Amino acid sequence: MMNVGLRTVLVVEDHEDIRELLRLQLTFDGLEVLECATGEEALELVQMHAVDAVLLDAELPGISGYDVLAQLAGSAIPVVVISGRTTSDDVVEAFRLGAHDHIAKPFRGKELRARVTAAVELKRRHDALRHENLILGSESRSDTLTGLANRRKLEADLQILSSSARRHDHPFSVALVDVDHFKAVNDTYGHGAGDQALRTIAERLEAALRVEDVAGRWGGEEFLVLLPYTDLEGAHVVGERLRHRVGGDPILLDDGSLLRVSISIGIADGTDVGDLLSRADAALYRAKAAGRNLVLA
Ligand code: GH3
Ligand code: MG
Ligand code: MG
Ligand code: MG
């Protein structure tokens, strides 16, 4: 996704000789150069290629450099305007339209290269930051073992879904899922196999749900499932489906052994988050006490 190799500059200049000069300057610094003679072509090229900066002639036939600039504003591609019009008003207008920099014609090669390189560097830092934010964003919401929503994400979704259900008067339920005798799995097969089993259980839970449902890891070997538009009766149906999907087929472990697991589920409906969770927890406790592998409200 990120272009970490060659950096690409798009040169937009209608005079062929000047375009040639600009290209030579930029390739000198190891930049990859795309070129075109009109603003129309420029707008097409930035759609088709990963462009890191645009060197844009202000005076173009057809749509003007300033129009191109205005259309690129907000695209995160820095634009360096190069222009024979060098009054303060022209320069100010370029910056007002979102130019990153302005170079007067005739240009000095070394200065031109420094300015374009600075624009490319800005884009590189922007990409790196965006990449970091994407990773941080998903890491702070997902559980590293199973890839499901983590507790923080579940708590946030619980607030959103329950208040939406309250406002629109829709039913809302949760299912608290706990793996039965999971300590024995670790004790018998080792912690690595236990982790593998949790990943498979998570996959099976997710696969058994509707897209609008949210399944997450509440902690340890406990999962919480949020069921929007679902009353207690519906939650019971979902709970039974989860119980069958998770416990139906044995889990194939890396060492070739087959592991059978079962889950107990406590369900509750309502829109008061604290009350909902404590009732689901109490129901789960009763399911355990009643012999496990059960769904109880
Ligand atoms: P039950 O719920 O049926 O009462 O029995 P249990 O054995 O599942 O309950 P308990 O709460 O005593 O133990 C839960 C076990 O889950 C403890 C721990 O070994 C295991 N566990 C919790 N988190 C993880 C994890 O991330 N990886 C692995 N491998 N095991 C975990
Ligand atoms: Mg021109
Ligand atoms: Mg537990
Ligand atoms: Mg358990």
Side-chain angles (χ1 to χ4, degrees):
M1 186 188 73
M2 247 213 310
N3 178 9
V4 286
L6 221 48
R7 292 281 151 180
T8 304
V9 177
L10 171 62
V11 173
V12 192
E13 167 64 66
D14 55 324
H15 282 283
E16 204 177 332
D17 296 350
I18 301 176
R19 199 164 68 235
E20 166 89 14
L21 274 176
L22 293 171
R23 178 163 52 78
L24 287 174
Q25 287 291 341
L26 298 178
T27 48
F28 181 85
D29 269 357
L31 291 163
E32 188 178 39
V33 173
L34 288 172
E35 49 187 278
C36 64
T38 65
E40 288 84 346
E41 289 171 280
L43 292 172
E44 255 177 53
L45 282 169
V46 295
Q47 298 294 327
M48 296 185 318
H49 299 270
V51 170
D52 296 299
V54 177
L55 181 57
L56 178 68
D57 179 19
E59 298 89 28
L60 294 168
I63 66 170
S64 78
Y66 290 114
D67 290 334
V68 176
L69 190 53
Q71 292 207 42
L72 287 178
S75 73
I77 306 172
V79 179
V80 177
V81 171
I82 181 163
S83 173
R85 298 201 317 229
T86 54
T87 69
S88 289
D89 283 350
D90 291 323
V91 177
V92 166
E93 179 64 358
F95 281 112
R96 194 188 65 80
L97 290 169
H100 168 71
D101 205 347
H102 188 284
I103 300 172
K105 278 181 185 169
F107 61 86
R108 287 185 290 268
K110 203 169 161 187
E111 189 181 318
L112 174 106
R113 299 207 307 270
R115 288 180 188 274
V116 173
T117 303
V120 166
E121 177 60 20
L122 176 77
K123 176 64 161 48
R124 196 192 59 72
R125 284 205 303 274
H126 177 273
D127 289 350
L129 204 64
R130 210 173 84 98
H131 187 69
E132 221 168 78
N133 285 340
L134 278 175
I135 289 172
L136 279 179
S138 63
E139 269 180 1
S140 64
R141 287 188 298 261
S142 68
D143 168 52
T144 47
L145 178 69
T146 62
L148 293 185
N150 65 13
R151 188 170 181 133
R152 189 208 296 207
K153 166 79 168 142
L154 280 171
E155 280 170 346
D157 284 0
L158 199 48
Q159 290 299 339
I160 293 167
L161 294 174
S162 63
S163 60
S164 158
R166 187 165 51 245
R167 198 166 46 247
H168 300 293
D169 201 22
H170 290 145
F172 178 65
S173 300
V174 299
L176 189 57
V177 176
D178 188 291
V179 187
D180 296 331
H181 298 307
F182 198 66
K183 194 174 175 307
V185 173
N186 283 319
D187 293 346
T188 311
Y189 299 95
H191 198 85
D195 283 357
Q196 201 192 339
L198 285 177
R199 275 195 291 269
T200 305
I201 291 167
E203 278 167 22
R204 291 181 180 182
L205 290 173
E206 180 95 315
L209 293 166
R210 295 176 303 194
V211 282
E212 63 265 40
D213 301 335
V214 178
R217 185 151 172 237
W218 193 239
E221 29 69 87
E222 283 187 31
F223 299 88
L224 182 67
V225 180
L226 313 180
L227 302 165
Y229 307 103
T230 309
D231 60 14
L232 199 61
E233 198 182 329
H236 201 94
V237 172
V238 174
E240 283 298 335
R241 188 164 72 233
L242 296 176
R243 199 172 65 79
H244 283 109
R245 289 286 184 90
V246 171
D249 294 322
I251 295 170
L252 177 63
L253 298 175
D254 278 342
D255 69 356
S257 46
L258 290 171
L259 171 69
R260 276 199 179 278
V261 292
S262 67
I263 53 176
S264 298
I265 303 178
I267 55 171
D269 68 337
T271 55
D272 178 317
V273 170
D275 181 54
L276 193 58
L277 288 177
S278 68
R279 280 188 291 117
D281 198 51
L284 173 62
Y285 182 82
R286 284 195 297 277
K288 292 285 184 184
R292 296 176 171 78
N293 195 15
L294 273 177
V295 182
L296 285 186

